């Protein structure tokens, strides 16, 4: 991931073993990280049980907020593919009880269809 991609809000795929090591205290013993995306310091993680949004705050990133979203809470999601002038793809996820979606932008090199497929596989069970 390029520095400018991070500044523009774009996410890129990251290595799963590094993410599992970083989240070892949060994951239950039978939980596996399936896919993970990094946005500067923040993480967007799909496990086989839930979606984790990790928000590293402050200058040092030592303060961290963890959002754990069970897949059953996802009521609607959409993707917007990258275009000719708009080089970003976007994933929007609506949760039950919330009118405003979670929005994440992905750079053009990432296959947004793959991300959508991972989410769909868990939400549509």
């Amino acid at each position: 991931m390029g520095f400018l991609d991070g500044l523009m809000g774009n996410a890129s795929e990251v290595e799963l073993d590094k993410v599992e090591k970083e989240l070892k205290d949060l994951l239950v013993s039978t939980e596996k990280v399936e896919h993970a995306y990094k946005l500067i310091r923040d993480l967007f993680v799909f496990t086989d049980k839930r979606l984790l949004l990790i928000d590293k705050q402050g200058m040092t990133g030592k303060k961290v907020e963890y959002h754990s979203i069970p897949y059953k809470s996802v009521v609607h999601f959409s993707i917007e593919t990258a275009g000719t002038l708009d080089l970003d793809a976007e994933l929007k996820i609506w949760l039950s009880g919330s009118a405003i979606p979670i929005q994440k932008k992905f750079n053009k090199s990432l296959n947004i269809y793959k991300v959508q497929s991972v989410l769909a596989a868990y939400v549509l069970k």
Side-chain angles (χ1 to χ4, degrees):
M1 174 176 79
F3 179 70
L4 289 178
D5 284 338
L7 289 178
M8 294 175 64
N10 295 336
S12 297
E13 202 159 5
V14 294
E15 293 180 37
L16 301 182
D17 57 338
K18 289 181 181 178
V19 174
E20 282 190 354
K21 193 177 288 186
E22 183 177 339
L23 300 177
K24 66 180 172 20
D25 294 333
L26 288 176
L27 301 174
V28 297
S29 62
T30 59
E31 190 171 17
K32 289 199 66 83
V33 172
E34 298 282 328
H35 297 275
Y37 304 93
K38 189 166 189 160
L39 175 63
I40 303 179
R41 297 179 302 183
D42 299 342
L43 287 171
F44 189 73
V45 180
F46 291 99
T47 77
D48 57 343
K49 302 193 182 304
R50 60 188 161 162
L51 174 61
L52 291 167
L53 302 178
I54 294 95
D55 180 14
K56 295 185 178 181
Q57 303 170 1
M59 293 296 289
T60 63
K62 291 186 186 247
K63 181 177 180 180
V64 182
E65 183 174 16
Y66 299 94
H67 293 271
S68 177
I69 303 167
Y71 291 117
K72 68 181 179 182
S73 296
V74 176
V75 294
H76 177 110
F77 57 92
S78 69
I79 60 169
E80 182 178 301
T81 60
T84 304
L85 297 175
D86 182 9
L87 301 178
D88 301 330
E90 190 170 8
L91 172 66
K92 294 180 185 175
I93 303 171
W94 285 264
L95 303 176
S96 60
S98 179
I100 300 171
I102 296 167
Q103 298 182 51
K104 293 294 178 185
K105 289 186 178 189
F106 297 84
N107 63 32
K108 192 175 184 177
S109 66
L110 187 73
N111 183 346
I112 192 68
Y113 294 106
K114 179 181 173 186
V115 176
Q116 182 275 157
S117 180
V118 171
L119 180 58
Y122 291 115
V123 172
L124 302 176
K125 280 186 179 180

